[in-house]
Amino acid sequence: MKIVIAGSGCAKCKATEETFRRVCAAANFIADIEHLYDMREIAKLGVMLTPAVLIDGKLVMSGKVPADQDVKKLLGIS
Amino acid sequence: MLYTLFIAGITALRDYVATHVLTCLVPAFFLAGAMVTFINRQSVLMHLGGQASKPKSFTLASLASFFIAACSCTVIPVSSGLYYAGAGIGVAFIILWVAPASNILALVYTGNILGSELLIARVVAALFMAYVVGYVMSWVFCNEGPPPTTAMPQGDMEKAIGREEIILILLLALTLLLPNYLVTEGPYIYKVGVWGIGSSITAAYAIGSQNNDRLIEWMRETWWFVKTIFPLLLGGVFLVGVLGEVLPEELIKEYLGGNSIASSFAATLLGSVTYFATMTEAPFVDKLMQMGMGKGPALALLLTGPGLSLPNWLAIARVFGFKKALVYVPLIIALGTLVGWFFGNFIF
Protein backbone atom coordinates (compact mmCIF):
# COMPACT_ATOMS: atom_id res chain seq x y z
CA MET A 1 0.00 0.00 0.00
CA LYS A 2 1.33 3.40 -0.90
CA ILE A 3 0.42 6.32 1.35
CA VAL A 4 1.21 9.86 0.23
CA ILE A 5 0.88 12.73 2.67
CA ALA A 6 0.59 16.03 0.86
CA GLY A 7 1.63 18.93 3.02
CA SER A 8 3.53 22.14 2.93
CA GLY A 9 5.73 21.15 5.81
CA CYS A 10 3.39 22.84 8.26
CA ALA A 11 3.00 21.58 11.80
CA LYS A 12 -0.26 19.82 11.00
CA CYS A 13 1.26 18.06 8.00
CA LYS A 14 4.12 16.75 10.11
CA ALA A 15 1.68 15.57 12.75
CA THR A 16 -0.32 13.73 10.10
CA GLU A 17 2.77 11.89 8.86
CA GLU A 18 3.72 11.00 12.42
CA THR A 19 0.26 9.67 13.17
CA PHE A 20 0.36 7.41 10.12
CA ARG A 21 3.85 6.14 10.92
CA ARG A 22 2.97 5.53 14.55
CA VAL A 23 -0.24 3.66 13.82
CA CYS A 24 1.44 1.55 11.12
CA ALA A 25 4.36 0.69 13.36
CA ALA A 26 2.11 -0.21 16.26
CA ALA A 27 0.04 -2.54 14.10
CA ASN A 28 3.01 -3.97 12.17
CA PHE A 29 1.29 -2.70 9.07
CA ILE A 30 3.64 -2.43 6.11
CA ALA A 31 3.07 0.61 3.96
CA ASP A 32 5.19 2.89 1.87
CA ILE A 33 4.71 6.33 3.42
CA GLU A 34 5.87 9.34 1.48
CA HIS A 35 5.60 13.05 2.26
CA LEU A 36 5.04 15.25 -0.77
CA TYR A 37 6.13 18.84 -0.19
CA ASP A 38 6.06 20.40 -3.67
CA MET A 39 3.09 22.75 -3.75
CA ARG A 40 2.69 22.54 -7.54
CA GLU A 41 2.55 18.77 -7.46
CA ILE A 42 0.12 18.93 -4.57
CA ALA A 43 -2.11 21.34 -6.49
CA LYS A 44 -2.03 19.06 -9.51
CA LEU A 45 -3.36 16.23 -7.39
CA GLY A 46 -6.46 18.29 -6.80
CA VAL A 47 -5.62 18.90 -3.15
CA MET A 48 -6.55 22.28 -1.70
CA LEU A 49 -6.64 21.74 2.00
CA THR A 50 -3.43 20.42 3.50
CA PRO A 51 -2.61 18.09 5.11
CA ALA A 52 -4.13 15.66 2.65
CA VAL A 53 -3.70 11.91 2.48
CA LEU A 54 -3.73 9.78 -0.66
CA ILE A 55 -3.85 6.03 -0.45
CA ASP A 56 -2.84 4.28 -3.68
CA GLY A 57 -3.48 7.50 -5.55
CA LYS A 58 -6.92 8.14 -4.14
CA LEU A 59 -7.60 11.19 -1.98
CA VAL A 60 -9.02 9.90 1.27
CA MET A 61 -8.67 12.80 3.70
CA SER A 62 -8.01 16.48 3.49
CA GLY A 63 -7.67 19.51 5.74
CA LYS A 64 -7.15 18.02 9.16
CA VAL A 65 -4.91 15.90 11.31
CA PRO A 66 -6.44 12.45 11.66
CA ALA A 67 -6.92 10.81 15.01
CA ASP A 68 -5.37 7.37 15.46
CA GLN A 69 -8.83 5.92 15.11
CA ASP A 70 -9.32 7.56 11.68
CA VAL A 71 -6.01 6.18 10.43
CA LYS A 72 -6.91 2.66 11.52
CA LYS A 73 -10.20 2.92 9.70
CA LEU A 74 -8.53 4.17 6.52
CA LEU A 75 -5.97 1.38 6.56
CA GLY A 76 -8.48 -1.28 7.51
CA ILE A 77 -6.68 -2.15 10.72
CA SER A 78 -9.05 -3.25 13.40
CA MET B 1 20.87 48.04 28.92
CA LEU B 2 19.90 44.46 28.18
CA TYR B 3 18.19 44.31 31.53
CA THR B 4 16.04 47.37 30.73
CA LEU B 5 15.05 45.80 27.41
CA PHE B 6 14.15 42.55 29.09
CA ILE B 7 12.03 44.38 31.66
CA ALA B 8 10.28 46.34 28.89
CA GLY B 9 9.46 43.08 27.11
CA ILE B 10 8.21 41.43 30.29
CA THR B 11 6.09 44.46 31.19
CA ALA B 12 4.46 44.46 27.78
CA LEU B 13 3.83 40.75 28.14
CA ARG B 14 2.34 41.14 31.61
CA ASP B 15 -0.02 43.93 30.55
CA TYR B 16 -1.03 41.91 27.54
CA VAL B 17 -1.67 38.68 29.41
CA ALA B 18 -3.60 40.51 32.13
CA THR B 19 -5.97 42.30 29.79
CA HIS B 20 -6.27 40.14 26.70
CA VAL B 21 -5.83 36.44 27.21
CA LEU B 22 -9.09 35.53 28.93
CA THR B 23 -11.64 37.80 27.27
CA CYS B 24 -9.97 38.11 23.91
CA LEU B 25 -7.68 35.23 23.04
CA VAL B 26 -9.57 32.34 24.59
CA PRO B 27 -12.76 33.01 22.61
CA ALA B 28 -10.67 33.78 19.52
CA PHE B 29 -9.04 30.35 19.62
CA PHE B 30 -12.38 28.63 20.14
CA LEU B 31 -13.77 30.60 17.22
CA ALA B 32 -10.87 29.62 14.99
CA GLY B 33 -11.25 25.97 15.96
CA ALA B 34 -14.98 26.12 15.32
CA MET B 35 -14.50 27.58 11.86
CA VAL B 36 -12.18 24.76 10.86
CA THR B 37 -14.43 22.10 12.33
CA PHE B 38 -17.91 23.28 11.41
CA ILE B 39 -17.43 24.96 8.04
CA ASN B 40 -17.01 22.49 5.22
CA ARG B 41 -14.18 24.25 3.40
CA GLN B 42 -14.01 21.67 0.64
CA SER B 43 -17.58 22.48 -0.27
CA VAL B 44 -16.95 26.24 -0.14
CA LEU B 45 -14.03 25.79 -2.52
CA MET B 46 -16.01 23.67 -4.93
CA HIS B 47 -18.57 26.44 -5.22
CA LEU B 48 -15.76 28.83 -6.10
CA GLY B 49 -14.37 26.69 -8.88
CA GLY B 50 -17.57 26.64 -10.85
CA GLN B 51 -18.28 30.35 -11.34
CA ALA B 52 -18.05 31.70 -14.85
CA SER B 53 -18.56 35.45 -14.63
CA LYS B 54 -15.81 37.61 -13.15
CA PRO B 55 -17.84 39.92 -10.86
CA LYS B 56 -19.66 36.95 -9.40
CA SER B 57 -16.61 34.75 -8.91
CA PHE B 58 -14.54 37.63 -7.50
CA THR B 59 -17.24 38.54 -5.00
CA LEU B 60 -17.70 34.95 -3.94
CA ALA B 61 -13.95 34.44 -3.60
CA SER B 62 -13.59 37.57 -1.47
CA LEU B 63 -16.41 36.57 0.84
CA ALA B 64 -15.27 32.96 1.13
CA SER B 65 -11.80 34.14 2.10
CA PHE B 66 -13.16 35.64 5.31
CA PHE B 67 -13.91 32.15 6.51
CA ILE B 68 -10.96 30.17 5.19
CA ALA B 69 -8.94 31.76 7.96
CA ALA B 70 -5.43 31.82 9.19
CA CYS B 71 -2.12 32.93 7.93
CA SER B 72 -0.37 33.17 4.61
CA CYS B 73 1.23 29.73 4.95
CA THR B 74 -2.04 27.80 4.92
CA VAL B 75 -3.59 29.86 2.18
CA ILE B 76 -1.05 29.04 -0.53
CA PRO B 77 -2.20 25.44 -1.01
CA VAL B 78 -5.81 26.63 -1.12
CA SER B 79 -5.12 29.24 -3.73
CA SER B 80 -2.79 27.14 -5.87
CA GLY B 81 -5.18 24.21 -5.61
CA LEU B 82 -8.00 26.36 -6.96
CA TYR B 83 -5.78 27.71 -9.72
CA TYR B 84 -4.75 24.27 -10.93
CA ALA B 85 -8.36 23.20 -10.72
CA GLY B 86 -9.21 25.87 -13.26
CA ALA B 87 -10.73 28.56 -11.05
CA GLY B 88 -8.97 31.40 -12.85
CA ILE B 89 -5.97 33.49 -11.93
CA GLY B 90 -8.08 36.34 -10.52
CA VAL B 91 -9.89 34.13 -8.05
CA ALA B 92 -6.66 32.42 -6.95
CA PHE B 93 -4.96 35.71 -6.16
CA ILE B 94 -8.01 37.19 -4.43
CA ILE B 95 -7.98 34.27 -1.99
CA LEU B 96 -4.24 34.63 -1.62
CA TRP B 97 -4.75 38.25 -0.61
CA VAL B 98 -7.99 38.39 1.36
CA ALA B 99 -7.65 35.28 3.53
CA PRO B 100 -4.62 36.51 5.46
CA ALA B 101 -5.32 40.25 5.16
CA SER B 102 -8.87 40.10 6.37
CA ASN B 103 -10.13 36.83 7.84
CA ILE B 104 -12.72 36.74 10.63
CA LEU B 105 -10.21 35.81 13.29
CA ALA B 106 -7.82 38.67 12.53
CA LEU B 107 -10.74 41.06 12.12
CA VAL B 108 -12.45 40.54 15.46
CA TYR B 109 -9.07 40.66 17.09
CA THR B 110 -8.27 43.95 15.35
CA GLY B 111 -11.61 45.32 16.53
CA ASN B 112 -10.84 44.36 20.12
CA ILE B 113 -7.41 45.93 20.22
CA LEU B 114 -7.70 48.86 17.86
CA GLY B 115 -11.41 49.72 17.80
CA SER B 116 -14.16 49.47 15.24
CA GLU B 117 -13.05 52.33 13.00
CA LEU B 118 -9.86 50.56 11.93
CA LEU B 119 -11.75 47.28 11.79
CA ILE B 120 -14.25 48.57 9.24
CA ALA B 121 -11.49 50.29 7.30
CA ARG B 122 -9.58 47.03 7.18
CA VAL B 123 -12.52 45.14 5.70
CA VAL B 124 -13.38 47.79 3.12
CA ALA B 125 -9.78 48.32 2.05
CA ALA B 126 -9.07 44.59 1.80
CA LEU B 127 -12.13 44.06 -0.40
CA PHE B 128 -11.30 47.00 -2.65
CA MET B 129 -7.75 45.73 -3.08
CA ALA B 130 -9.08 42.24 -3.77
CA TYR B 131 -11.13 43.39 -6.76
CA VAL B 132 -8.26 45.41 -8.19
CA VAL B 133 -5.89 42.47 -7.74
CA GLY B 134 -8.39 40.12 -9.35
CA TYR B 135 -8.93 42.30 -12.40
CA VAL B 136 -5.29 43.28 -12.86
CA MET B 137 -4.05 39.69 -12.60
CA SER B 138 -6.69 38.44 -15.06
CA TRP B 139 -5.93 41.28 -17.45
CA VAL B 140 -2.13 40.97 -17.39
CA PHE B 141 -2.21 37.22 -17.81
CA CYS B 142 -5.21 37.01 -20.14
CA ASN B 143 -3.12 35.60 -23.00
CA GLU B 144 -1.82 32.84 -20.87
CA GLY B 145 -3.98 29.76 -21.12
CA PRO B 146 -5.17 28.01 -18.01
CA PRO B 147 -2.63 25.70 -16.35
CA PRO B 148 -2.77 22.00 -17.11
CA THR B 149 -5.86 21.61 -15.03
CA THR B 150 -6.72 18.75 -12.88
CA ALA B 151 -10.35 17.96 -12.53
CA MET B 152 -12.07 19.85 -9.75
CA PRO B 153 -12.03 17.47 -6.82
CA GLN B 154 -15.18 15.50 -7.04
CA GLY B 155 -17.36 14.71 -4.14
CA ASP B 156 -20.93 15.16 -3.22
CA MET B 157 -21.82 18.82 -2.91
CA GLU B 158 -22.39 18.83 0.79
CA LYS B 159 -23.75 21.89 2.46
CA ALA B 160 -21.01 24.30 3.46
CA ILE B 161 -22.45 24.84 6.90
CA GLY B 162 -25.61 23.99 8.80
CA ARG B 163 -27.90 26.36 10.69
CA GLU B 164 -26.89 25.20 14.16
CA GLU B 165 -23.23 25.65 13.28
CA ILE B 166 -23.88 29.19 12.07
CA ILE B 167 -25.55 30.04 15.37
CA LEU B 168 -22.65 28.53 17.28
CA ILE B 169 -20.09 30.54 15.34
CA LEU B 170 -22.12 33.72 15.82
CA LEU B 171 -22.32 33.08 19.57
CA LEU B 172 -18.55 32.66 19.66
CA ALA B 173 -18.03 35.89 17.74
CA LEU B 174 -20.34 37.71 20.17
CA THR B 175 -18.47 36.32 23.17
CA LEU B 176 -15.33 37.72 21.62
CA LEU B 177 -16.79 41.13 20.77
CA LEU B 178 -19.24 41.96 23.55
CA PRO B 179 -16.86 42.29 26.53
CA ASN B 180 -15.13 45.14 24.73
CA TYR B 181 -18.18 46.86 23.34
CA LEU B 182 -20.51 46.58 26.33
CA VAL B 183 -17.88 47.44 28.92
CA THR B 184 -16.02 50.56 27.88
CA GLU B 185 -15.11 51.72 31.38
CA GLY B 186 -14.77 50.34 34.87
CA PRO B 187 -12.48 47.58 36.09
CA TYR B 188 -11.46 44.66 33.91
CA ILE B 189 -13.53 42.27 36.00
CA TYR B 190 -16.70 43.61 34.33
CA LYS B 191 -15.39 42.41 31.01
CA VAL B 192 -14.65 39.05 32.56
CA GLY B 193 -18.26 38.95 33.71
CA VAL B 194 -19.64 39.58 30.24
CA TRP B 195 -17.18 37.05 28.87
CA GLY B 196 -18.32 34.49 31.45
CA ILE B 197 -21.98 34.88 30.54
CA GLY B 198 -21.25 34.67 26.81
CA SER B 199 -19.04 31.61 27.24
CA SER B 200 -21.60 29.79 29.35
CA ILE B 201 -24.37 30.36 26.82
CA THR B 202 -22.11 29.30 23.96
CA ALA B 203 -20.94 26.18 25.79
CA ALA B 204 -24.49 25.18 26.65
CA TYR B 205 -25.61 25.66 23.07
CA ALA B 206 -22.64 23.71 21.71
CA ILE B 207 -23.23 20.76 23.99
CA GLY B 208 -26.94 20.79 23.16
CA SER B 209 -26.56 21.00 19.40
CA GLN B 210 -23.43 19.02 18.55
CA ASN B 211 -22.59 15.38 19.09
CA ASN B 212 -19.54 14.23 21.03
CA ASP B 213 -17.32 13.51 18.03
CA ARG B 214 -17.77 16.99 16.65
CA LEU B 215 -17.14 18.58 20.03
CA ILE B 216 -13.94 16.59 20.44
CA GLU B 217 -12.79 17.54 16.96
CA TRP B 218 -13.53 21.18 17.73
CA MET B 219 -11.42 21.01 20.91
CA ARG B 220 -8.60 19.35 18.99
CA GLU B 221 -8.61 22.07 16.34
CA THR B 222 -8.77 24.78 19.00
CA TRP B 223 -5.78 23.27 20.74
CA TRP B 224 -3.88 23.35 17.44
CA PHE B 225 -4.42 27.08 17.16
CA VAL B 226 -3.33 27.59 20.75
CA LYS B 227 -0.18 25.55 20.12
CA THR B 228 0.76 27.31 16.89
CA ILE B 229 -0.35 30.90 17.40
CA PHE B 230 -0.05 31.51 21.13
CA PRO B 231 3.77 31.20 21.33
CA LEU B 232 4.11 33.44 18.26
CA LEU B 233 1.77 35.96 19.81
CA LEU B 234 3.60 36.01 23.16
CA GLY B 235 6.94 36.29 21.36
CA GLY B 236 5.53 39.08 19.23
CA VAL B 237 4.22 41.03 22.20
CA PHE B 238 7.55 40.66 23.99
CA LEU B 239 9.34 41.91 20.90
CA VAL B 240 6.93 44.83 20.59
CA GLY B 241 7.73 45.82 24.19
CA VAL B 242 11.46 45.68 23.48
CA LEU B 243 11.11 47.62 20.23
CA GLY B 244 9.09 50.28 22.04
CA GLU B 245 12.10 50.76 24.30
CA VAL B 246 14.72 50.72 21.55
CA LEU B 247 13.08 52.75 18.81
CA PRO B 248 13.07 56.47 19.48
CA GLU B 249 9.61 57.98 19.11
CA GLU B 250 11.02 60.65 16.83
CA LEU B 251 11.98 57.96 14.36
CA ILE B 252 8.45 56.52 14.28
CA LYS B 253 6.95 59.99 14.01
CA GLU B 254 9.29 60.93 11.22
CA TYR B 255 8.83 57.86 9.05
CA LEU B 256 5.39 56.59 10.00
CA GLY B 257 3.70 59.66 11.46
CA GLY B 258 1.01 61.65 9.72
CA ASN B 259 -0.81 60.45 6.64
CA SER B 260 1.55 61.36 3.85
CA ILE B 261 2.25 59.12 0.88
CA ALA B 262 5.78 58.60 2.16
CA SER B 263 4.76 57.31 5.60
CA SER B 264 2.08 55.13 4.06
CA PHE B 265 4.67 53.69 1.70
CA ALA B 266 7.09 53.08 4.57
CA ALA B 267 4.40 51.22 6.52
CA THR B 268 3.41 49.17 3.48
CA LEU B 269 7.00 48.21 2.78
CA LEU B 270 7.55 47.21 6.39
CA GLY B 271 4.42 45.06 6.27
CA SER B 272 5.18 43.52 2.91
CA VAL B 273 8.63 42.28 3.86
CA THR B 274 8.11 41.17 7.45
CA TYR B 275 6.28 38.01 8.34
CA PHE B 276 3.42 38.54 10.76
CA ALA B 277 1.58 35.43 11.84
CA THR B 278 -2.14 36.10 11.82
CA MET B 279 -3.23 38.27 14.78
CA THR B 280 0.30 39.38 15.74
CA GLU B 281 -0.06 42.46 13.57
CA ALA B 282 -2.66 44.01 15.89
CA PRO B 283 -0.53 44.47 19.06
CA PHE B 284 2.35 45.62 16.88
CA VAL B 285 0.28 48.30 15.17
CA ASP B 286 -1.19 49.28 18.53
CA LYS B 287 2.27 49.95 19.95
CA LEU B 288 3.43 51.89 16.89
CA MET B 289 0.31 54.03 17.02
CA GLN B 290 0.99 54.87 20.67
CA MET B 291 4.42 55.96 19.53
CA GLY B 292 3.05 58.27 16.86
CA MET B 293 2.23 56.26 13.75
CA GLY B 294 -0.59 57.84 11.72
CA LYS B 295 -3.88 56.02 11.15
CA GLY B 296 -3.41 55.72 7.40
CA PRO B 297 -0.03 53.99 7.69
CA ALA B 298 -1.51 51.87 10.49
CA LEU B 299 -4.16 50.58 8.11
CA ALA B 300 -1.56 49.88 5.43
CA LEU B 301 0.50 47.90 7.91
CA LEU B 302 -2.53 45.98 9.19
CA LEU B 303 -3.30 44.85 5.65
CA THR B 304 0.11 44.08 4.23
CA GLY B 305 1.60 42.79 7.50
CA PRO B 306 -0.16 39.43 7.50
CA GLY B 307 -1.04 39.58 3.79
CA LEU B 308 2.47 39.63 2.42
CA SER B 309 5.97 38.71 3.58
CA LEU B 310 9.31 37.88 2.07
CA PRO B 311 8.93 34.11 2.54
CA ASN B 312 5.47 34.52 1.03
CA TRP B 313 6.90 36.21 -2.11
CA LEU B 314 9.22 33.27 -2.66
CA ALA B 315 6.47 30.72 -2.19
CA ILE B 316 4.21 32.57 -4.61
CA ALA B 317 7.01 32.77 -7.19
CA ARG B 318 7.65 29.05 -6.87
CA VAL B 319 4.03 27.97 -7.08
CA PHE B 320 2.57 30.45 -9.57
CA GLY B 321 5.70 31.41 -11.45
CA PHE B 322 8.13 34.28 -11.22
CA LYS B 323 6.22 36.60 -13.55
CA LYS B 324 3.02 36.49 -11.55
CA ALA B 325 4.85 37.22 -8.32
CA LEU B 326 6.52 40.13 -10.08
CA VAL B 327 3.13 41.63 -10.89
CA TYR B 328 1.36 40.72 -7.65
CA VAL B 329 3.89 41.96 -5.09
CA PRO B 330 4.45 45.48 -6.53
CA LEU B 331 0.71 45.74 -7.13
CA ILE B 332 -0.04 45.07 -3.46
CA ILE B 333 2.65 47.51 -2.37
CA ALA B 334 1.23 50.22 -4.64
CA LEU B 335 -2.34 49.56 -3.53
CA GLY B 336 -1.41 49.41 0.15
CA THR B 337 0.33 52.76 -0.08
CA LEU B 338 -2.60 54.28 -1.91
CA VAL B 339 -5.19 52.87 0.50
CA GLY B 340 -3.24 54.06 3.56
CA TRP B 341 -2.89 57.54 2.11
CA PHE B 342 -6.52 57.75 0.99
CA PHE B 343 -8.05 56.53 4.26
CA GLY B 344 -5.65 58.65 6.29
CA ASN B 345 -6.53 61.85 4.48
CA PHE B 346 -10.18 61.45 3.53
CA ILE B 347 -11.81 58.90 5.82
CA PHE B 348 -10.33 58.95 9.33
Side-chain angles (χ1 to χ4, degrees), chain B:
Chain B
M1 178 63 188
L2 264 182
Y3 180 73
T4 343
L5 291 185
F6 182 72
I7 291 299
I10 290 293
T11 311
L13 210 54
R14 194 195 60 201
D15 292 348
Y16 181 80
V17 168
T19 52
H20 283 114
V21 169
L22 191 61
T23 52
C24 192
L25 274 184
V26 170
F29 286 131
F30 277 111
L31 176 65
M35 279 166 50
V36 174
T37 314
F38 299 126
I39 297 176
N40 186 337
R41 289 173 295 165
Q42 192 74 44
S43 152
V44 172
L45 294 176
M46 284 199 293
H47 282 289
L48 285 182
Q51 302 298 328
S53 85
K54 273 207 186 77
K56 200 173 165 192
S57 66
F58 285 4
T59 307
L60 222 71
S62 309
L63 294 180
S65 304
F66 280 74
F67 301 96
I68 298 177
C71 52
S72 46
C73 51
T74 42
V75 79
I76 289 178
V78 172
S79 136
S80 66
L82 272 172
Y83 176 60
Y84 281 94
I89 183 90
V91 167
F93 274 85
I94 283 178
I95 302 243
L96 199 59
W97 167 245
V98 180
S102 169
N103 63 71
I104 293 276
L105 190 59
L107 286 177
V108 274
Y109 196 63
T110 306
N112 267 2
I113 292 197
L114 299 169
S116 41
E117 191 186 46
L118 266 174
L119 164 72
I120 295 166
R122 186 172 175 177
V123 177
V124 174
L127 286 179
F128 161 74
M129 287 171 77
Y131 283 97
V132 178
V133 165
Y135 276 103
V136 169
M137 294 305 286
S138 321
W139 177 69
V140 173
F141 296 100
C142 63
N143 292 326
E144 190 172 292
T149 46
T150 46
M152 204 64 191
Q154 291 302 311
D156 28 337
M157 273 285 201
E158 286 168 54
K159 252 199 352 213
I161 185 168
R163 203 167 58 132
E164 284 167 339
E165 285 77 21
I166 293 178
I167 296 175
L168 183 55
I169 285 175
L170 281 179
L171 280 173
L172 280 164
L174 283 177
T175 309
L176 183 50
L177 289 172
L178 286 183
N180 266 339
Y181 286 91
L182 288 185
V183 185
T184 45
E185 50 191 55
Y188 181 65
I189 194 77
Y190 291 168
K191 287 191 185 183
V192 177
V194 176
W195 169 82
I197 296 169
S199 303
S200 316
I201 296 173
T202 311
Y205 186 79
I207 293 168
S209 65
Q210 302 294 329
N211 63 32
N212 270 345
D213 287 351
R214 297 274 268 177
L215 288 174
I216 290 169
E217 202 186 328
W218 176 24
M219 293 307 120
R220 264 165 45 99
E221 291 295 344
T222 303
W223 179 236
W224 263 105
F225 276 102
V226 174
K227 263 202 307 196
T228 33
I229 297 184
F230 197 51
L232 285 173
L233 211 50
L234 289 185
V237 169
F238 182 83
L239 202 65
V240 166
V242 173
L243 281 179
E245 194 69 19
V246 178
L247 294 176
E249 283 197 20
E250 299 78 54
L251 193 79
I252 305 287
K253 287 208 176 82
E254 188 182 338
Y255 288 101
L256 297 172
N259 289 305
S260 66
I261 278 277
S263 51
S264 189
F265 179 68
T268 306
L269 214 55
L270 177 66
S272 302
V273 174
T274 326
Y275 172 75
F276 287 89
T278 204
M279 294 162 78
T280 53
E281 75 281 5
F284 188 68
V285 167
D286 187 34
K287 183 75 193 179
L288 285 181
M289 281 177 82
Q290 286 166 18
M291 295 176 73
M293 177 166 62
K295 274 190 174 176
L299 176 64
L301 184 53
L302 272 181
L303 286 164
T304 52
L308 212 56
S309 66
L310 202 53
N312 192 235
W313 301 8
L314 301 176
I316 293 171
R318 206 178 62 219
V319 175
F320 291 99
F322 188 68
K323 265 198 293 187
K324 294 193 185 71
L326 211 58
V327 175
Y328 175 70
V329 173
L331 179 63
I332 290 289
I333 294 177
L335 283 172
T337 307
L338 190 71
V339 158
W341 170 81
F342 180 82
F343 273 76
N345 284 292
F346 302 105
I347 308 284
F348 292 135

